[in-house]
Amino acid sequence: MRHFKNIIIGFGKAGKTLAGSLTSHGEEVLLIEKDPMMYGGTCINIACLPTKNLVINSQRGVKYEEAFETKEAMTAKLRNKNYHKIADQDLATVLDASAEFIDDKTIKVTDESGTEELTFDRLFINTGAESNVPNIDGLKIDDKIFTSTEMLAKKELAKNLVILGGGPIGLEFASMYAGFGSKVTVIEPMPSILGRFEPEIAQAAKADMEADGVTFMLKSSLTKVEETEAGLNLTVETEDGVKDLQADVMLVSVGRHPATAALHLEKTSIEVGQRGEIVVNDKLETSVPNIYAMGDVAGSLQFTYISLDDWRIMDNQLFGDKTRTKKNRPVFANSIFIKPAISSAGLTESELKAQGKAYKVLTMPAAGVPKAQVIGNPRGSYKALIDPETHEILGATIYAEEAYETINVITLAMQHHLKAEDLRDQIYAHPTMTEALNDLFKF
């Protein structure tokens, strides 16, 4: 039985970065990944980067087949780079194998050569998350029904696509495929999309997506799926009664859950939460000494930059002054890459009202920003909420071109408790979308 000082299960953002930290401090590490196509983690291979690459190329008017090949080349390049960044280090070993627990101190790994039991001083779990698949009559993942993972591997453009779920992933695929020329229909049980965003901005985004060819079936539930040689027959319950819907392909996009099933945590004393996440404290420690969990599997918000920040916490706890924890995580933004993108940070009006906190609303149209006219897409608006006494920014939502860049200026200001007028009076490069802050924060 081999023993390792450090074992990491999962080649995700936090895990791969931690492997580099461990070797830089002279410690050996075994990094286990069950799927060689997932070196680098979810973001590089089946999420953020390939989807954003396709979104950008759809907006540029690139044909789907060409965009697909570009995406494949990019992910292959990044996957190879990430593999060698770890595997080429003397103190690191990458093992292509599945891993499961035997007990609190032992795991079993299985690869083509057989099985082996391993022990460790420290173990880090970074297995990410998997797509939810609801229990609906006739619904099964196959060659016509996909999760986002399989959808990204589809070489042919779906002519008639139905998306189950109007969350961030579903909306990005809807915008992307509409841009490539597909007929897209989104089935969503809620009365609106983007329920966690400012409602007026969510409504504007829905109207713009409809103008781009996306059809929304809100307050609707898929109840039955029938597969035919021609495609799919879908039974949908709506406010106006039961409707039949036809599609070539369906994307199931109803959220993701922590990927823990294959680990057999029931054989350990590791505590698991109600959503299947591994329960950790603010230092990312599990209920078992010397076993840690990071990223999506630990119930962290499912963003790659949060997984990266989990690495920062872990690195600080192992090799730093032990001051970084989940409690003092910096202010961060949330972005959805539709056309244009929506980015938000902090609190919304409804959240401030629920807290009984006073606030002042500042808004402006994106059309008032010269760069929006230069780009040729003046859609959208800016909204900020500030404290009427301190003038600190309490929250912001941007629905405009390059929102995902501008929001970072706002989160930095929020993190350091700058006043709105600090952003108002700043000199920004011209022409940029960030110049909007000069006008947005006039009050």
Side-chain angles (χ1 to χ4, degrees):
M1 183 182 297
R2 287 193 292 168
H3 179 88
F4 289 87
K5 183 174 180 62
N6 299 287
I7 293 179
I8 300 172
I9 304 176
F11 208 133
K13 186 70 171 180
K16 69 176 184 181
T17 316
L18 179 61
S21 292
L22 291 166
T23 58
S24 70
H25 285 86
E27 296 192 14
E28 67 168 354
V29 58
L30 173 67
L31 180 53
I32 303 170
E33 174 53 55
K34 67 179 181 179
D35 185 356
M37 295 298 289
M38 288 297 289
Y39 295 144
T42 298
C43 179
I44 285 175
N45 296 289
I46 57 170
C48 343
L49 298 191
T51 56
K52 305 317 173 281
N53 184 253
L54 288 172
V55 165
I56 289 170
N57 279 321
S58 74
Q59 293 176 5
R60 288 175 175 169
V62 177
K63 290 185 178 180
Y64 179 79
E65 292 75 13
E66 180 184 346
F68 180 87
E69 293 302 324
T70 299
K71 181 266 297 181
E72 288 288 280
M74 180 194 72
T75 54
K77 178 180 179 180
L78 293 173
R79 189 163 51 245
N80 181 66
K81 180 180 178 180
N82 274 265
Y83 172 79
H84 286 287
K85 190 173 183 179
I86 303 303
D88 292 351
Q89 297 190 46
D90 292 338
L91 292 174
T93 301
V94 177
L95 176 63
D96 297 334
S98 61
E100 63 181 273
F101 281 91
I102 300 298
D103 53 39
D104 287 347
K105 298 182 179 179
T106 314
I107 63 170
K108 179 175 72 174
V109 294
T110 304
D111 60 14
E112 295 179 351
S113 64
T115 63
E116 180 183 10
E117 293 187 2
L118 307 174
T119 56
F120 51 85
D121 290 343
R122 293 188 297 235
L123 185 139
F124 308 88
I125 304 171
N126 186 223
T127 49
E130 300 169 324
S131 296
N132 297 333
V133 180
N135 184 17
I136 295 173
D137 185 13
L139 176 63
K140 61 183 184 297
I141 305 303
D142 56 18
D143 61 349
K144 295 177 183 174
I145 303 174
F146 307 107
T147 68
S148 58
T149 300
E150 295 85 20
M151 196 73 191
L152 282 171
K154 184 173 173 55
K155 294 183 179 180
E156 303 82 18
L157 177 66
K159 295 180 180 179
N160 186 355
L161 170 66
V162 169
I163 299 176
L164 180 61
I169 295 174
L171 293 181
E172 287 189 354
F173 273 88
S175 180
M176 172 205 312
Y177 273 84
F180 283 125
S182 301
K183 177 184 177 182
V184 181
T185 303
V186 177
I187 302 172
E188 169 56 49
M190 299 301 290
S192 64
I193 62 170
L194 302 171
R196 296 182 180 179
F197 289 80
E198 297 287 7
E200 69 273 28
I201 289 180
Q203 291 170 9
K206 175 176 176 289
D208 287 338
M209 291 186 72
E210 288 173 331
D212 290 340
V214 178
T215 299
F216 289 93
M217 299 180 69
L218 303 181
K219 297 183 182 179
S220 301
S221 300
L222 177 67
T223 59
K224 187 177 181 180
V225 179
E226 294 178 292
E227 297 197 26
T228 68
E229 291 185 5
L232 300 168
N233 292 330
L234 309 174
T235 302
V236 184
E237 290 187 359
T238 75
E239 284 188 303
D240 301 320
V242 177
K243 294 185 178 181
D244 292 325
L245 194 64
Q246 281 70 48
D248 302 323
V249 169
M250 182 167 70
L251 168 64
V252 178
S253 180
V254 291
R256 294 168 64 82
H257 63 272
T260 58
L263 295 173
H264 291 288
L265 298 177
E266 70 277 3
K267 297 179 181 180
T268 73
S269 303
I270 297 173
E271 183 181 354
V272 177
Q274 293 182 345
R275 296 179 292 108
E277 77 280 8
I278 295 175
V279 176
V280 296
N281 61 16
D282 289 327
K283 300 177 181 179
L284 303 176
E285 298 168 325
T286 71
S287 52
V288 175
N290 297 319
I291 296 181
Y292 309 82
M294 307 174 293
D296 298 354
V297 76
S300 297
L301 291 174
Q302 294 178 4
F303 302 125
T304 191
Y305 45 86
I306 297 301
S307 187
L308 179 62
D309 197 62
D310 278 359
W311 160 74
R312 293 189 185 101
I313 293 169
M314 197 73 267
D315 184 70
N316 178 262
Q317 291 295 324
L318 293 176
F319 305 115
D321 61 9
K322 305 184 188 302
T323 57
R324 289 201 68 148
T325 70
K326 290 174 66 177
K327 284 184 177 179
N328 57 26
R329 201 188 295 278
V331 177
F332 59 91
N334 174 18
S335 294
I336 300 177
F337 290 73
I338 55 178
K339 183 182 180 181
I342 299 179
S343 297
S344 69
L347 301 173
T348 62
E349 270 202 80
S350 61
E351 290 169 334
L352 289 170
K353 287 178 181 177
Q355 294 181 12
K357 188 171 179 62
Y359 62 92
K360 182 178 179 63
V361 180
L362 305 175
T363 63
M364 69 168 289
V369 186
K371 180 66 179 294
Q373 303 295 339
V374 172
I375 293 172
N377 184 12
R379 287 175 171 178
S381 62
Y382 295 72
K383 181 176 182 178
L385 308 169
I386 66 170
D387 187 304
E389 294 186 1
T390 66
H391 295 179
E392 287 192 22
I393 303 165
L394 305 174
T397 303
I398 303 174
Y399 175 45
E401 286 289 341
E402 301 177 7
Y404 39 80
E405 302 287 357
T406 303
I407 198 69
N408 291 320
V409 177
I410 295 177
T411 57
L412 186 63
M414 293 172 68
Q415 177 67 26
H416 294 282
H417 304 284
L418 300 182
K419 294 181 179 181
E421 45 264 51
D422 291 324
L423 296 187
R424 178 196 67 195
D425 299 336
Q426 179 63 31
I427 299 174
Y428 302 103
H430 173 78
T432 62
M433 296 302 294
T434 310
E435 285 182 290
L437 303 184
N438 289 140
D439 294 322
L440 175 63
F441 290 112
K442 285 181 179 178
F443 60 95

